[in-house]
Amino acid sequence: MDSQRNILLIALLFVSFLLFQQWNADSNPQPQGVAQQVTHSGDVPSHSADGQPITDQSTSNNLITINTDVLALTVDTLGGDIIEAKLLAYDNELESEDPFVLLKNDQGHSYTAQSGLIGAQGIDTAAGRAQLQVSADSFTLEDGQDELRVPMTYEQDGISYTKTIIVKRNSYAVDVEYSINNQSEQPASVQMYAQLKQNLMDDGGSLTMPTYRGGAYSADNVKYKKYSFDDMQDKNLNLDMNQGWAAMMQHYFVTAWIPRAEQASNLYTRTSNGQGYIGVRMPTTTVVPGSEESLTATLWVGPKLQDQMAATANNLNLTVDYGWLWFIASPLHSLLSFIQSIVVNWGLAIIILTFIVRGAMYPLTKAQYTSMAKMRMLQPKLQAMRERLGDDRQRMSQEMMELYKKEKVNPLGGCLPILLQMPIFIALYWALMESVELRHAPFFGWIHDLSAQDPFYILPLLMGATMFLIQKMSPTTVTDPMQQKIMTFMPVMFTFFFLFFPSGLVLYWLVSNIVTLIQQTLIYRSLEKKGLHSK
């Protein structure tokens, strides 16, 4: 199998991959973004535990801030919802001084983390949310302090409710704890809920960057599953689970509620007034008179940091979605991260990773070019066979197989390295696209962000040039003028595709081509010494 056909195979696989991505997006369309008047921070499940509908209510002006070394949270004391979360370690845009805002309550885009108590003695009722009392309007995790607790209180009918937001140093996991102290003469029945609310929006992705924005969840028998806004509109999710979480994702970042209940919780979704909701209801708790009970849920609000997410909840790290080639992408990401921890620069780590991958494939590459050279040598015999047998295809096939067996040639020997390289390429594509570590990570010179396309298209053009050189150096058995034109056009087509790919991925392919050129030269020289000529 000659090199041109190998390149064609790459192109077909590559285009098929892109077409699959586009088909998947077209088959699961997301509703368009809805710009509307921001509703209150107090949207709760559509009905309370006693079956009464919950009404909407305007956002209060009583806001407090909670600051740590990595988070800046804004909390509305009307219900105690987190209505804004700034990630202090991540820029909003490249070279921006403003931090990235994950949760927000803007006029055109509402995305908040809500929690409360419903039930017979719940403080989130059909009449509205409770106005919680707090000792100050600003709280900061001080130097040397590892944990900060911010309590907000409310009293009603002899029952004291304390909602405490707990943050820790260098952590994106926020605990929300309800303490119910019942000093009345009657049992108190409450149920904690925690949900995420966001405008129904499209995924915001593109053909070369098919990112996902929408819901996801994990339950007893489901480690990880996406549940898009479109799914929410089609059918409300309603699952009982002993362990799991409910989340909303947007490319490099995720927000998730994890219930900390000993008994089964209920996972649900719903849509209302242009908003999508995904959340959990914890089991109903009865607090007997003269006693106190605590209910807790954890909110992850931050980047997709796999180790920290795995430590926060089972399977939460799976929101770093590597697709169906996760078993290749995950170890590639781990290896890339290990290399980066040594060399510091992510671009240099990609280059080293490329040499490692291509070095591991060298025996297959050598077999590929040896097979190509042998096939080239057999061309005169094959041509004579065609002239002798004419249109007798069955006999032609039989004699060709006998010739291959006699000469110890595998006609498919040149395909295997290509078939192996494509899954590695696609897996690395997902690994680079899903790695928040590469977001705004510079290489050198004009490459300031390896997760974005090359602003001057230098890397894609160099990649196309190296592909053209590989094509020229490779042996060819193609004599048809049309096929020759198609093969000549391949580097141009690939260059066009790579213009819009993340520069980190283009860097990998460029270095891979350079390694191929080096290996080709060495292998052909070795074959020439053995009397096997590639040309």
Side-chain angles (χ1 to χ4, degrees):
M1 184 71 65
D2 57 70
S3 177
Q4 280 79 1
R5 290 181 181 176
N6 288 338
I7 295 175
L8 179 59
L9 179 59
I10 294 178
L12 291 174
L13 289 172
F14 185 69
V15 172
S16 297
F17 167 66
L18 294 178
L19 290 175
F20 170 78
Q21 295 294 344
Q22 187 62 33
W23 172 84
N24 187 57
D26 291 341
S27 299
N28 298 279
Q30 306 291 337
Q32 295 298 313
V34 179
Q36 58 179 347
Q37 180 70 29
V38 175
T39 58
H40 65 296
S41 65
D43 292 311
V44 297
S46 56
H47 291 77
S48 61
D50 57 6
Q52 295 300 314
I54 301 296
T55 59
D56 285 348
Q57 185 172 336
S58 298
T59 302
S60 76
N61 294 320
N62 298 319
L63 306 180
I64 64 171
T65 58
I66 303 174
N67 298 292
T68 74
D69 55 331
V70 296
L71 286 172
L73 306 178
T74 300
V75 178
D76 188 348
T77 57
L78 181 66
D81 297 331
I82 300 175
I83 63 171
E84 184 178 80
K86 296 179 180 178
L87 310 186
L88 303 181
Y90 294 86
D91 296 337
N92 186 44
E93 300 290 345
L94 183 63
E95 299 181 351
S96 170
E97 296 182 358
D98 298 324
F100 179 79
V101 181
L102 181 54
L103 298 180
K104 60 184 68 176
N105 199 35
D106 295 339
Q107 186 73 15
H109 182 200
S110 177
Y111 180 14
T112 58
Q114 307 170 328
S115 57
L117 292 178
I118 55 178
Q121 279 71 44
I123 54 178
D124 296 297
T125 68
R129 309 289 302 279
Q131 180 63 63
L132 306 178
Q133 303 300 312
V134 64
S135 61
D137 58 9
S138 179
F139 300 84
T140 301
L141 184 70
E142 303 294 346
D143 293 340
Q145 187 179 6
D146 293 328
E147 180 180 284
L148 175 64
R149 301 175 67 93
V150 180
M152 297 173 285
T153 61
Y154 183 77
E155 293 188 7
Q156 176 179 278
D157 300 330
I159 304 174
S160 298
Y161 304 85
T162 302
K163 181 175 186 177
T164 305
I165 296 179
I166 307 167
V167 293
K168 298 179 181 179
R169 182 168 299 280
N170 194 34
S171 176
Y172 296 96
V174 179
D175 290 329
V176 176
E177 177 185 88
Y178 273 97
S179 295
I180 303 98
N181 189 341
N182 184 8
Q183 298 302 317
S184 70
E185 297 180 355
Q186 301 295 327
S189 178
V190 296
Q191 183 180 23
M192 182 178 178
Y193 75 91
Q195 67 182 14
L196 301 165
K197 180 195 76 170
Q198 185 173 190
N199 294 79
L200 299 174
M201 305 182 72
D202 60 27
D203 59 12
S206 63
L207 180 62
T208 55
M209 290 286 286
T211 58
Y212 173 76
R213 186 182 194 118
Y217 69 92
S218 177
D220 295 350
N221 298 320
V222 181
K223 288 185 176 181
Y224 164 72
K225 185 177 179 62
K226 294 178 181 177
Y227 207 75
S228 68
F229 290 130
D230 193 44
D231 293 329
M232 295 179 193
Q233 289 183 302
D234 289 341
K235 181 181 180 180
N236 288 334
L237 193 63
N238 185 12
L239 297 175
D240 290 332
M241 61 180 189
N242 291 303
Q243 62 177 358
W245 41 262
M248 283 190 177
M249 305 189 304
Q250 59 178 80
H251 201 180
Y252 298 116
F253 306 97
V254 62
T255 308
W257 277 113
I258 306 104
R260 304 300 189 186
E262 295 181 357
Q263 299 177 351
S265 298
N266 176 259
L267 190 149
Y268 64 89
T269 65
R270 70 183 181 95
T271 59
S272 176
N273 299 322
Q275 306 282 343
Y277 300 78
I278 185 168
V280 292
R281 295 187 188 93
M282 296 167 62
T284 299
T285 298
T286 299
V287 186
V288 299
S291 68
E292 183 175 0
E293 296 287 347
S294 294
L295 307 173
T296 305
T298 299
L299 173 69
W300 175 274
V301 51
K304 293 180 179 179
L305 301 176
Q306 296 183 59
D307 292 341
Q308 291 189 33
M309 288 193 298
T312 301
N314 291 337
N315 304 317
L316 187 57
N317 59 307
L318 297 183
T319 56
V320 182
D321 192 349
Y322 291 136
W324 59 280
L325 287 172
W326 59 268
F327 56 92
I328 300 177
S330 183
L332 280 177
H333 177 269
S334 298
L335 178 57
L336 183 65
S337 298
F338 173 75
I339 297 171
Q340 192 275 338
S341 67
I342 298 175
V343 301
V344 180
N345 186 290
W346 281 102
L348 186 57
I350 291 173
I351 293 174
I352 295 174
L353 176 67
T354 308
F355 275 92
I356 292 174
V357 171
R358 294 310 305 270
M361 294 177 60
Y362 179 74
L364 293 174
T365 303
K366 185 176 181 179
Q368 172 193 9
Y369 289 120
T370 301
S371 175
M372 289 164 56
K374 288 183 178 180
M375 284 293 295
R376 175 67 175 172
M377 291 179 62
L378 292 180
Q379 288 307 307
K381 294 182 180 180
L382 292 173
Q383 182 61 32
M385 191 183 298
R386 293 189 186 96
E387 294 175 355
R388 176 167 52 86
L389 298 177
D391 296 332
D392 192 344
R393 295 186 178 181
Q394 182 176 359
R395 189 176 174 187
M396 177 72 180
S397 177
Q398 292 175 348
E399 293 197 15
M400 284 177 63
M401 295 306 298
E402 291 177 0
L403 179 62
Y404 292 151
K405 185 176 180 180
K406 178 181 177 182
E407 298 292 339
K408 298 179 180 180
V409 174
N410 181 3
L412 300 178
C415 293
L416 185 57
I418 303 300
L419 293 175
L420 287 177
Q421 188 173 348
M422 284 310 299
I424 293 174
F425 168 76
I426 296 173
L428 187 63
Y429 169 82
W430 285 108
L432 295 180
M433 192 181 71
E434 283 287 298
S435 298
V436 68
E437 295 88 349
L438 266 68
R439 181 181 184 266
H440 298 170
F443 178 31
F444 81 95
W446 72 98
I447 303 296
H448 302 293
D449 185 358
L450 286 167
S451 68
Q453 67 186 56
D454 186 333
F456 301 112
Y457 307 115
I458 296 175
L459 291 181
L461 292 175
L462 290 175
M463 187 280 303
T466 55
M467 181 172 284
F468 179 78
L469 290 176
I470 291 174
Q471 187 182 72
K472 288 299 181 182
M473 287 181 62
S474 301
T476 178
T477 60
V478 175
T479 57
D480 181 71
M482 180 59 68
Q483 292 186 37
Q484 289 179 346
K485 289 182 180 180
I486 293 175
M487 297 307 170
T488 302
F489 185 70
M490 283 297 171
V492 178
M493 184 185 72
F494 266 68
T495 300
F496 175 77
F497 276 131
F498 276 75
L499 290 176
F500 310 102
F501 271 67
S503 55
L505 189 70
V506 183
L507 177 63
Y508 165 79
W509 199 258
L510 169 61
V511 176
S512 180
N513 283 353
I514 293 174
V515 174
T516 298
L517 288 170
I518 296 172
Q519 290 180 339
Q520 252 186 339
T521 302
L522 295 176
I523 292 171
Y524 286 160
R525 287 179 180 176
S526 175
L527 293 176
E528 288 175 359
K529 291 179 181 179
K530 296 179 181 179
L532 296 176
H533 299 282
S534 61
K535 295 291 184 179

